[in-house]
């Protein structure tokens, strides 16, 4: 609203899946002459979303998972982060650990072009046409009052104070950012992905050559990791040919989607037997100095691939069937050895403290807390019911939807 008030054209392109509880607020926001809001692949049934999903699953299950934030076609941020308190360490109950790239240069207008392509897609609609709600002047004034009250409250917020004192902001204001210069390639799914008969246009097809042509080392960071048999075969082939393959994903205790863990866990022994290294992030990942008040649970949400410490992909793509074949995704592939090595090194330093290292002992799965030198023979910190539900879900034929 501040940007719009000073004359900036603001466009919000949102996936409809999470807009159900914000409809009237978004419509009121879109009344601002400089703010436009559109929804991707929206449900035409605005009140009974569950029924709409039940009878229109094949269409409504297709979601826009892309994340980008572009300013003046000069800078863009891409990665896995959604806009919500838990993604910015501002939630006491849950903190998602995420990873973004701030980029300038030739990649920015390409990201902007992809935004426009989605913005103008046949499956994208202005929020105003999806509802007959017409905010009254009283509603608009009430919204403005709530914003004003929240703004006043934020002045004493620990969270806002931490942001104001952040090193990133200081570096931006003093023009002392450290940049890693290199070639940037935009990888993105077409907005009509499910209607594309040619899968070579899909992001996975664009990413696959970099996965298969690894020369020495592959690092995969994916909070939702369901490799499927074909992905397992690929990682097995790499590991058995002498390449170092490491996978970092959520533990059962840390994940926020039990069904995904159920789909992933059946591949662990095969991957470990082939020589793939697997690390599962703890739900309580040590001391989180960046957290404003200390959340009760942390969960990995970053999505990244590092190839031979030479190239790094950062975006919204998870190593799972939903990202590969159902949702649309977006990311940047950067060829920059210094950045790639820097990311790998920083992650490696935290593995012993923040993750469990998986291993096989006479064919049985074990978890090692290398920092505490402690061994676990079952899912650490998960609890009986969490294990039971994950085991039950693992019996269902739902892998293609994970």
């Amino acid at each position: 609203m501040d940007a719009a008030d000073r004359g900036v054209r603001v466009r919000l392109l949102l996936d409809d899946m999470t807009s159900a509880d914000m409809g009237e607020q978004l419509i009121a926001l879109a009344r601002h002459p400089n703010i436009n809001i559109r929804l991707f692949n929206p449900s035409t049934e605005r009140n009974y979303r569950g029924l709409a999903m039940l009878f229109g699953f094949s269409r409504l299950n297709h979601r826009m998972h892309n994340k980008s934030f572009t300013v003046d076609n000069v800078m863009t941020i891409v990665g896995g982060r959604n806009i919500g308190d838990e993604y910015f360490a501002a939630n006491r109950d849950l903190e998602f650990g995420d990873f973004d790239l701030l980029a300038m240069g030739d990649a920015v207008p390409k990201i902007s072009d992809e935004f426009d392509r989605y913005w103008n897609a046949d499956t994208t609609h202005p929020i105003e046409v999806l509802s007959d709600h017409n905010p009254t002047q009283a509603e608009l004034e009430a919204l403005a009052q709530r914003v004003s009250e929240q703004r006043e409250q934020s002045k004493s917020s620990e969270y806002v104070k931490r942001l104001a004192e952040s090193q990133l902001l200081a570096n931006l204001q003093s023009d002392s950012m450290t940049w890693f210069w290199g070639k940037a390639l935009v990888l993105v799914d077409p907005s009509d992905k499910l209607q594309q008969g040619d899968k070579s246009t899909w992001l996975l097809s664009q990413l696959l050559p970099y996965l298969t042509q690894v020369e020495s080392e592959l690092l995969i960071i994916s909070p939702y990791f369901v490799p499927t048999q074909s992905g397992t075969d690929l990682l097995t082939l790499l590991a058995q040919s002498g390449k170092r393959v490491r996978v970092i994903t959520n533990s059962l205790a840390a994940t926020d989607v039990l069904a995904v863990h159920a789909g992933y866990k059946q591949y662990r022994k095969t991957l470990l037997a082939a020589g793939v290294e697997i690390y599962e992030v703890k739900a309580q990942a040590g001391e989180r100095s960046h957290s404003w008040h200390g959340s009760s649970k942390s969960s990995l949400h970053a999505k990244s691939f590092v190839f031979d410490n030479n190239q790094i992909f950062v975006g919204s793509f998870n190593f799972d069937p939903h990202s590969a074949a159902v949702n649309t995704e977006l990311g940047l592939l950067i060829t920059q050895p210094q950045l790639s090595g820097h990311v790998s090194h920083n992650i490696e330093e935290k593995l012993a403290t923040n993750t469990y290292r998986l291993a096989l002992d006479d064919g049985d799965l074990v978890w090692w807390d290398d920092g505490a030198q402690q061994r676990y023979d079952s899912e650490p910190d998960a609890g009986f019911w969490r294990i039971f539900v994950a085991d039950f879900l693992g019996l269902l034929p739902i892998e293609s939807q994970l």
Side-chain angles (χ1 to χ4, degrees):
M1 288 179 68
D2 285 348
D5 285 343
R6 65 176 185 264
V8 175
R9 179 194 184 198
V10 178
R11 289 187 293 163
L12 299 177
L13 176 58
L14 308 176
D15 186 85
D16 188 45
M17 182 67 77
T18 57
S19 68
D21 298 329
M22 300 186 296
E24 293 188 1
Q25 290 178 325
L26 291 174
I27 290 172
L29 189 62
R31 286 286 295 271
H32 194 294
N34 287 334
I35 297 178
N36 297 106
I37 301 175
R38 293 188 181 182
L39 302 181
F40 179 83
N41 195 24
S43 170
T44 54
E45 174 52 65
R46 309 307 292 170
N47 296 317
Y48 301 99
R49 298 290 190 95
L51 285 175
M53 176 63 80
L54 181 64
F55 292 104
F57 181 80
S58 60
R59 178 179 77 86
L60 295 178
N61 188 44
H62 173 51
R63 308 315 321 166
M64 181 189 72
H65 198 236
N66 313 20
K67 297 98 167 55
S68 69
F69 183 101
T70 305
V71 177
D72 293 334
N73 276 342
V74 173
M75 287 190 179
T76 191
I77 299 172
V78 301
R81 193 183 311 268
N82 294 299
I83 304 298
D85 286 354
E86 60 269 31
Y87 297 93
F88 290 88
N91 185 305
R92 287 183 174 88
D93 300 318
L94 176 62
E95 179 182 329
F96 282 117
D98 234 306
F99 183 50
D100 313 292
L101 281 178
L102 172 64
M104 66 167 70
D106 293 343
V108 180
K110 294 176 184 177
I111 294 287
S112 188
D113 287 345
E114 292 301 335
F115 180 95
D116 286 341
R117 195 167 284 120
Y118 273 74
W119 183 261
N120 295 309
D122 292 339
T123 50
T124 300
H125 302 278
I127 191 169
E128 296 91 337
V129 307
L130 297 168
S131 172
D132 56 8
H133 178 69
N134 187 23
T136 65
Q137 187 59 34
E139 287 178 300
L140 294 175
E141 290 174 358
L143 175 61
Q145 179 63 29
R146 285 200 301 274
V147 171
S148 177
E149 291 171 355
Q150 290 173 354
R151 186 191 302 277
E152 193 62 32
Q153 291 171 5
S154 72
K155 291 180 180 179
S156 59
S157 164
E158 294 178 54
Y159 175 67
V160 173
K161 180 182 178 183
R162 180 169 61 84
L163 289 183
E165 297 174 350
S166 69
Q167 190 61 51
L168 175 63
L169 183 59
N171 290 344
L172 284 169
Q173 291 174 332
S174 63
D175 195 21
S176 58
M177 291 284 289
T178 299
W179 294 93
F180 298 89
W181 297 105
K183 180 182 177 182
L185 183 64
V186 178
L187 305 185
V188 60
D189 278 313
S191 60
D192 57 347
K193 179 176 179 176
L194 295 190
Q195 284 72 51
Q196 288 274 357
D198 182 10
K199 293 184 179 180
S200 66
T201 62
W202 292 8
L203 187 150
L204 176 60
S205 298
Q206 301 167 49
L207 191 61
L208 198 56
Y210 300 94
L211 290 166
T212 58
Q213 294 169 19
V214 169
E215 295 182 356
S216 60
E217 185 172 348
L218 172 63
L219 173 63
I220 296 174
I221 304 166
S222 182
Y224 312 115
F225 178 72
V226 184
T228 72
Q229 190 57 54
S230 59
T232 300
D233 292 343
L234 169 61
L235 299 181
T236 295
L237 181 63
L238 290 173
Q240 291 183 338
S241 63
K243 316 298 193 300
R244 186 182 188 189
V245 180
R246 289 181 292 174
V247 175
I248 302 173
T249 190
N250 275 313
S251 66
L252 177 56
T255 187
D256 63 319
V257 185
L258 290 179
V260 169
H261 189 88
Y264 144 69
K265 67 188 186 69
Q266 62 182 303
Y267 295 104
R268 292 184 294 198
K269 288 186 178 181
T270 301
L271 290 169
L272 289 169
V276 175
E277 302 173 39
I278 301 177
Y279 298 86
E280 294 183 354
V281 173
K282 300 176 181 177
Q284 295 293 339
E287 186 68 29
R288 295 181 300 283
S289 59
H290 58 286
S291 181
W292 74 294
H293 201 271
S295 61
S296 60
K297 179 181 176 181
S298 60
S299 183
L300 177 69
H301 197 259
K303 305 101 164 48
S304 186
F305 301 78
V306 182
F307 307 97
D308 296 322
N309 282 333
N310 181 58
Q311 295 174 305
I312 181 169
F313 172 82
V314 179
S316 62
F317 184 87
N318 290 298
F319 203 103
D320 65 17
H322 223 253
S323 281
V326 181
N327 287 345
T328 69
E329 310 287 352
L330 177 146
L332 278 176
L333 179 71
I334 309 293
T335 301
Q336 221 294 340
Q338 187 180 1
L339 173 62
S340 303
H342 179 70
V343 171
S344 293
H345 177 72
N346 281 357
I347 290 171
E348 199 160 323
E349 282 189 326
K350 296 177 175 64
L351 286 178
T353 304
N354 293 349
T355 70
Y356 299 106
R357 175 177 54 84
L358 275 64
L360 291 176
D361 184 1
D362 288 334
D364 293 326
L365 201 60
V366 296
W367 291 256
W368 282 101
D369 183 339
D370 289 330
Q373 290 295 300
Q374 187 171 354
R375 166 178 160 154
Y376 297 86
D377 294 319
S378 63
E379 308 271 4
D381 306 321
F384 171 79
W385 284 110
R386 202 166 179 83
I387 295 173
F388 175 82
V389 172
D391 287 344
F392 172 75
L393 292 172
L395 301 175
L396 303 179
I398 57 174
E399 181 175 87
S400 65
Q401 301 304 317
L402 299 178

